[in-house]
Amino acid sequence: MNQQDVKTVLLNLQNKQYIESNITHTFSENNNAVFSVKYSNNDKTFEVIQIETNSLEKFSELESAVHCISTIISK
């Protein structure tokens, strides 16, 4: 998945059509969840949760979230 694909996923989560919903996108490898991302309308942030460590990072800027996710994917 390239950075443009990641950006598209995040923009879909942020889409006003879904703003009242609580949608989480989970990324997996070999059928094992690696991390998930959701958009918090209350905080106006993207929340990236690494499943194995249960660590949460919040990003108010789309490009910062894209960079974080792209870095995780490339590991």
Side-chain angles (χ1 to χ4, degrees):
M1 178 176 271
N2 63 37
Q3 285 192 343
Q4 186 58 45
D5 294 336
V6 171
K7 189 173 187 175
T8 299
V9 168
L10 297 181
L11 287 172
N12 283 334
L13 291 174
Q14 193 179 32
N15 190 322
K16 291 189 186 312
Q17 155 182 353
Y18 304 117
I19 214 68
E20 296 299 321
S21 302
N22 186 10
I23 299 173
T24 301
H25 187 95
T26 302
F27 293 80
S28 61
E29 181 176 39
N30 299 323
N31 292 325
N32 296 316
V34 177
F35 68 96
S36 62
V37 62
K38 70 178 184 176
Y39 182 74
S40 170
N41 188 44
N42 293 337
D43 297 338
K44 306 288 189 239
T45 59
F46 293 97
E47 299 178 354
V48 179
I49 302 168
Q50 293 194 39
I51 307 293
E52 188 174 292
T53 61
N54 202 29
S55 64
L56 168 68
E57 292 183 76
K58 293 184 178 187
F59 300 94
S60 57
E61 296 178 7
L62 175 70
E63 293 302 324
S64 297
V66 169
H67 178 73
C68 173
I69 292 169
S70 297
T71 299
I72 295 170
I73 290 172
S74 68
K75 287 184 179 179

